[in-house]
Amino acid sequence: MMSYKNTFQNSFKKCLLTGALGLGFSSIAQVSQQPILVKLNPQKTFQTIEHFGGSDAWAGQFVGNWPDEKKKAIAKLLFSKNVDKSGQPEGIGLSLWRFNIGAGSTEQGKESGIKDEWRRAESFLNNDGSFNWEKQAAQMWFLQEAKKYKVDKFLGFTNSPPVQFTSNKKAFATDGKPNLSPEQYDNFAHFLTEVVKGIRQKTGITLDYLSATNEPQWDWSDGGQEGTPFDNEHIAGINKALSKRLLAAKLPTQISIAEAGQLNYLYDPFNKPARGSQIEDFFQKSGKYYLGDLPNLNKSIAGHSYFTTSPYKEASQIRTQLAANVSKIEGLHYWMTEYCILGDNAGEIEGNGKDLGMKSALYVAKVIHNDLVNGNATAWHWWTSISAYNYKDGLVYIDKNKTDGNYEESKMLWAFGNYSRFVRPNAKRIEVSVGKVNPEKLLISAYFDQKSKQTVMVVINASDTPSQLLIEGLNYKKAIAYQTSENANLKPSILKNVNDLTISANSVITFVFN
């Protein structure tokens, strides 16, 4: 290997001629003053990636009715794995799509008690007990479009049981009390089973997973959207009934639990003992509500990264603790199934206010890294893929218009794509050792794909200064870098020197080594 000094000088010459990957800067003074040694060790592996996903809530129910040209363009951004003639990716290649199974608040209209009609949802269930598979048609369109792009997996989730079954006949709860009595568990399970069959009949798609409860720790009593709280006891009862129904129908659909509203609840009683310690309760054989013997239960525990992402050091500790608890159960893995930027995040970034730029994108990229590297997540899902709100919750933003409107991409879309587009299902995370750096400013993870024989490395540079990386442990001669920054969206550059890399300031770059 060349000396650091000679390699670094050669790197400077290259940068002066081309800029950082041809995209970033042209001044030696702007580069960090010492190269950073990065060692990749493909012999040491961690979790196997299952999927990166996004959901159709809430805007999918309307955007699927927009003019073909626009809705297809949005679908391309979310699902496409294709590239144009210059090698530019057309989309972020999601490998899972989440379908919101509505509770029927749309049919109730104003009487639903949910003021914002964009947060209501249709239901396939009629009041007489029959089913109407023409409902949720706009969402069905996105489901079918995802299939055309060969999205690998599909998950159906509910925020509330159908209003015909709930205790208050609404799609949200009263006084923070569970809104489904035990007598209705089997009816709810029958409904979900029929939904799987109906969607298959309508689209040819069999949902791979069903998630019957969502963020059961919250009260869901303000009419802000569909939702209901549940204790672990109720979650167990619902999913036991669902397991029986799916098995009786001979459906391959697996059950996913428990979509915890905050990661702490997965491994700790936290502030709601009846709704916490979900790993122990559901997956330890001595647990109060053990479900591990259900033959169609997916061996994953699902949680949401909200309210646990700042400050970074504390967020890392939470995920390390979560990973340690998951590892105690043989075969269990952790899915991060919902995230967007919420709250004030210890003063680092506000959820309020739409941001199409890199500040939010870098923050989201760091959350993904934290969940994958410290939490050992095998799946990572964004919340609302299409947003009509002035909030940091959208990959694609739209006008709040039911039939037509404008759309615009966010940098969060493309930063997410630095992972979802290139870290494909069945890739294994491999060990990365990084020299002395600020762990909140330069974050690196790497993955090996046995099928393609590619190594993928994702680098987040959240500082205002470019960094020089010297790479050890690679046997490749070529690489393509895909950069997301203020002036680029997964912009490709072909690299001839794969051991000596320059990382632009405030960017996310994925290196695909061939």
Side-chain angles (χ1 to χ4, degrees):
M1 180 178 171
M2 268 188 186
S3 71
Y4 284 3
K5 181 179 179 181
N6 289 338
T7 304
F8 198 37
Q9 287 174 342
N10 290 339
S11 301
F12 277 152
K13 292 176 183 177
K14 179 182 70 176
C15 291
L16 287 169
L17 291 171
T18 66
L21 306 178
L23 297 168
F25 64 96
S26 59
S27 169
I28 291 177
Q30 288 179 280
V31 187
S32 59
Q33 291 303 302
Q34 272 201 316
I36 298 164
L37 182 62
V38 178
K39 296 181 180 180
L40 274 60
N41 179 13
Q43 303 307 313
K44 186 171 183 178
T45 62
F46 303 95
Q47 77 271 34
T48 299
I49 300 301
E50 295 184 71
H51 31 71
F52 290 93
S55 86
D56 62 6
W58 302 94
Q61 63 183 315
F62 298 122
V63 180
N65 291 325
W66 278 24
D68 276 359
E69 180 182 0
K70 292 181 180 179
K71 66 184 180 184
K72 286 185 176 182
I74 292 172
K76 180 187 288 187
L77 289 172
L78 296 170
F79 304 134
S80 178
K81 299 186 289 290
N82 299 327
V83 297
D84 65 16
K85 293 179 180 179
S86 68
Q88 172 71 46
E90 294 179 341
I92 66 169
L94 294 177
S95 46
L96 178 142
W97 188 239
R98 297 173 63 89
F99 181 91
N100 178 23
I101 301 170
S105 54
T106 292
E107 288 85 346
Q108 291 180 324
K110 292 181 180 179
E111 297 303 313
S112 69
I114 299 174
K115 293 180 181 179
D116 185 351
E117 60 182 321
W118 283 62
R119 289 175 178 254
R120 302 171 193 159
E122 285 186 340
S123 174
F124 294 115
L125 183 64
N126 296 320
N127 287 331
D128 63 2
S130 62
F131 289 83
N132 182 352
W133 304 117
E134 300 305 314
K135 293 288 186 70
Q136 299 197 245
Q139 291 171 251
M140 292 279 223
W141 183 89
F142 271 101
L143 203 64
Q144 291 173 295
E145 198 70 4
K147 182 184 178 183
K148 290 179 184 177
Y149 279 105
K150 296 183 173 20
V151 170
D152 298 299
K153 299 292 183 182
F154 297 92
L155 183 150
F157 72 99
T158 67
N159 291 302
S160 166
V163 295
Q164 292 90 341
F165 304 148
T166 59
S167 300
N168 64 4
K169 303 305 178 187
K170 303 286 186 183
F172 63 95
T174 301
D175 298 328
K177 297 176 181 177
N179 203 19
L180 189 75
S181 68
E183 292 76 22
Q184 294 288 356
Y185 290 171
D186 186 62
N187 286 333
F188 185 27
H190 171 68
F191 164 77
L192 291 174
T193 302
E194 290 301 309
V195 167
V196 175
K197 292 162 63 178
I199 288 176
R200 182 174 63 182
Q201 171 189 319
K202 185 72 176 178
T203 67
I205 296 168
T206 301
L207 296 177
D208 298 278
Y209 312 105
L210 269 179
S211 175
T213 62
N214 184 67
E215 297 186 350
Q217 290 81 16
W218 310 145
D219 287 347
W220 299 118
S221 300
D222 62 358
Q225 65 166 78
E226 294 192 346
T228 180
F230 287 114
D231 294 346
N232 290 351
E233 178 184 3
H234 310 131
I235 295 171
I238 290 168
N239 284 293
K240 285 178 180 178
L242 180 57
S243 176
K244 289 179 181 178
R245 283 286 186 173
L246 291 172
L247 291 172
K250 297 182 179 180
L251 289 169
T253 304
Q254 294 186 330
I255 295 169
S256 175
I257 57 173
E259 307 263 17
Q262 197 166 311
L263 298 184
N264 315 67
Y265 292 114
L266 294 178
Y267 61 84
D268 194 276
F270 201 38
N271 54 8
K272 295 184 179 180
R275 300 175 187 178
S277 301
Q278 293 186 313
I279 293 172
E280 177 182 351
D281 277 5
F282 297 139
F283 286 102
Q284 283 191 2
K285 289 185 178 180
S286 60
K288 294 179 183 177
Y289 309 108
Y290 181 63
L291 296 176
D293 56 354
L294 296 181
N296 48 1
L297 178 69
N298 186 268
K299 206 71 180 290
S300 62
I301 188 76
H304 300 171
S305 280
Y306 300 126
F307 314 117
T308 60
T309 56
S310 293
Y312 189 83
K313 183 178 180 181
E314 183 177 314
S316 299
Q317 291 171 344
I318 289 171
R319 283 154 181 79
T320 300
Q321 190 169 352
L322 169 58
N325 279 268
V326 169
S327 69
K328 294 176 183 178
I329 311 294
E330 185 179 358
L332 185 64
H333 43 270
Y334 153 53
W335 285 5
M336 202 306 295
T337 52
E338 192 177 307
Y339 182 73
C340 68
I341 300 175
L342 288 183
D344 64 0
N345 301 289
E348 292 182 349
I349 190 168
E350 284 278 352
N352 285 314
K354 180 170 66 175
D355 173 27
L356 301 178
M358 283 303 296
K359 181 179 179 181
S360 296
L362 287 167
Y363 189 86
V364 168
K366 289 168 66 176
V367 173
I368 298 172
H369 174 94
N370 211 349
D371 277 314
L372 296 178
V373 173
N374 294 309
N376 272 338
T378 63
W380 204 94
H381 304 165
W382 186 259
W383 168 221
T384 178
S385 304
I386 308 166
S387 173
Y389 295 94
N390 185 29
Y391 208 86
K392 296 179 181 66
D393 60 351
L395 300 177
V396 179
Y397 284 90
I398 61 164
D399 297 334
K400 201 171 185 181
N401 189 310
K402 293 181 184 179
T403 57
D404 195 1
N406 298 311
Y407 68 91
E408 50 190 347
E409 309 158 17
S410 73
K411 292 292 181 181
M412 292 187 291
L413 169 81
W414 296 110
F416 184 20
N418 278 96
Y419 291 92
S420 62
R421 175 62 181 78
F422 306 104
V423 184
R424 302 306 300 171
N426 297 314
K428 285 184 178 292
R429 185 168 68 86
I430 65 174
E431 183 179 52
V432 179
S433 301
V434 185
K436 191 175 182 180
V437 295
N438 183 338
E440 297 186 31
K441 294 296 184 181
L442 186 68
L443 302 97
I444 304 174
S445 61
Y447 312 82
F448 179 70
D449 191 319
Q450 182 65 37
K451 183 179 179 181
S452 65
K453 305 297 183 184
Q454 292 180 334
T455 295
V456 174
M457 183 174 72
V458 185
V459 183
I460 304 165
N461 184 3
S463 75
D464 295 328
T465 306
S467 294
Q468 198 78 14
L469 305 184
L470 299 178
I471 310 297
E472 283 188 2
L474 289 175
N475 294 316
Y476 302 93
K477 294 182 179 180
K478 295 180 181 179
I480 302 177
Y482 296 88
Q483 177 168 310
T484 299
S485 60
E486 283 293 351
N487 301 312
N489 297 326
L490 295 183
K491 185 172 181 179
S493 297
I494 297 175
L495 306 179
K496 294 182 179 179
N497 186 352
V498 301
N499 300 109
D500 177 13
L501 306 173
T502 306
I503 310 301
S504 300
N506 297 310
S507 66
V508 185
I509 305 178
T510 300
F511 297 92
V512 180
F513 300 100
N514 293 295

